[in-house]
Amino acid sequence: MVWEVLKEALDRRVKATGTDCLDILDTGGGTGNFAVPAARLGHRVTVVDPSPNALFALERRAAEAGVADRVRGVQGDIHGLFDVVERDGYDAVLCHGVLEYVDDPAEGVRNAVAALRPAGALSLLAAGLGGAVLARALAGHFNEARQALFDPDGRWGAGDPVPRRFTAEQLTEAVTQAGVEVGAVHGVRVFADLVPGVLVDTEPGALDALLKLEAAAAELPAFHSVATQLHVLGEKRG
């Protein structure tokens, strides 16, 4: 779902800019889950990631896809972003799975927006608080669910592998304060992490029906509070 929404946003930028080749920055892009498909569309993609192993895998993946000339990997992170890339240099910036792990999420958002050209598209994906609370409760871990609900970082305990989670309101406020006009908010994996895998694997047509249900619920605000991830799409104000 995130890719489909992102692809539509890139298509709009292509029409707005009058060029078929956009400059895209993927912060924390890792092995290229979004970078390689974007490059297949004909765009130039710069991936910034702190892991040399991920960047090596990205290089190999881009070569196998035949887009090595349009994908560039750079070692770095969102806080030191402008040590490795330029400001105001990109038509779209992806910040997926980054804010959960940085010391200052607000600064991370500001840097992502600062890398955008005016009217550029920001795609932000982060862990949702409500999805974690619901998952712990359904698993019978009620104290952990309550802990996550009231913890400032949305963590359910010392063993929680996710350092930080967000509500839709926190993410939209962060991007708005950074100079982005929010276009849409989507709940990602509203149901998928709660449905028993055996049901999806064995029931004919279950997977297709689940995907359609996810797509139908993604933009409904009532389901944002229980989504495992939250996706915010916006445009940098001029």
Side-chain angles (χ1 to χ4, degrees):
M1 187 281 297
V2 174
W3 168 247
E4 291 301 321
V5 171
L6 178 60
K7 184 177 179 298
E8 291 176 4
L10 296 178
D11 289 343
R12 289 194 296 270
R13 292 306 303 147
V14 165
K15 293 179 181 178
T17 59
T19 177
D20 292 332
C21 181
L22 301 176
D23 293 308
I24 300 173
L25 175 64
D26 189 355
T27 64
T31 60
N33 287 340
F34 288 89
V36 170
R40 284 200 187 106
L41 298 177
H43 305 307
R44 293 183 294 266
V45 187
T46 298
V47 176
V48 176
D49 197 278
S51 169
N53 290 335
L55 294 175
F56 177 77
L58 167 71
E59 182 179 358
R60 183 175 57 194
R61 187 174 187 174
E64 292 173 350
V67 294
D69 59 328
R70 293 196 293 275
V71 176
R72 179 174 71 106
V74 181
Q75 189 171 2
D77 59 40
I78 193 74
H79 285 320
L81 189 61
F82 301 113
D83 294 333
V84 293
V85 302
E86 64 273 21
R87 295 177 182 269
D88 307 311
Y90 298 90
D91 300 293
V93 171
L94 283 56
C95 186
H96 295 174
V98 173
L99 299 186
E100 299 94 321
Y101 300 97
V102 298
D103 293 333
D104 188 343
E107 181 188 1
V109 173
R110 289 194 297 270
N111 285 350
V113 175
L116 281 169
R117 293 166 180 158
L122 174 69
S123 177
L124 181 68
L125 183 68
L129 170 62
V133 173
L134 185 60
R136 300 314 290 174
L138 292 179
H141 303 299
F142 305 120
N143 289 332
E144 292 180 350
R146 187 176 184 277
Q147 169 70 19
L149 187 61
F150 293 105
D151 185 81
D153 293 323
R155 289 171 53 82
W156 47 257
D160 193 337
V162 179
R164 187 179 289 106
R165 294 183 179 88
F166 304 88
T167 64
E169 292 75 17
Q170 288 173 328
L171 293 178
T172 55
E173 180 181 3
V175 300
T176 299
Q177 290 182 350
V180 167
E181 188 72 30
V182 175
V185 179
H186 305 93
V188 182
R189 303 187 70 86
V190 176
F191 308 102
D193 292 337
L194 304 177
V195 176
V198 64
L199 174 63
V200 177
D201 293 338
T202 60
E203 186 72 21
L207 178 58
D208 183 59
L210 177 59
L211 293 175
K212 290 179 179 178
L213 177 61
E214 289 278 359
E219 290 193 56
L220 299 178
F223 291 98
H224 294 167
S225 60
V226 294
T228 300
Q229 293 178 303
L230 294 165
H231 180 236
V232 178
L233 186 69
E235 183 177 291
K236 183 177 181 178
R237 292 191 287 268

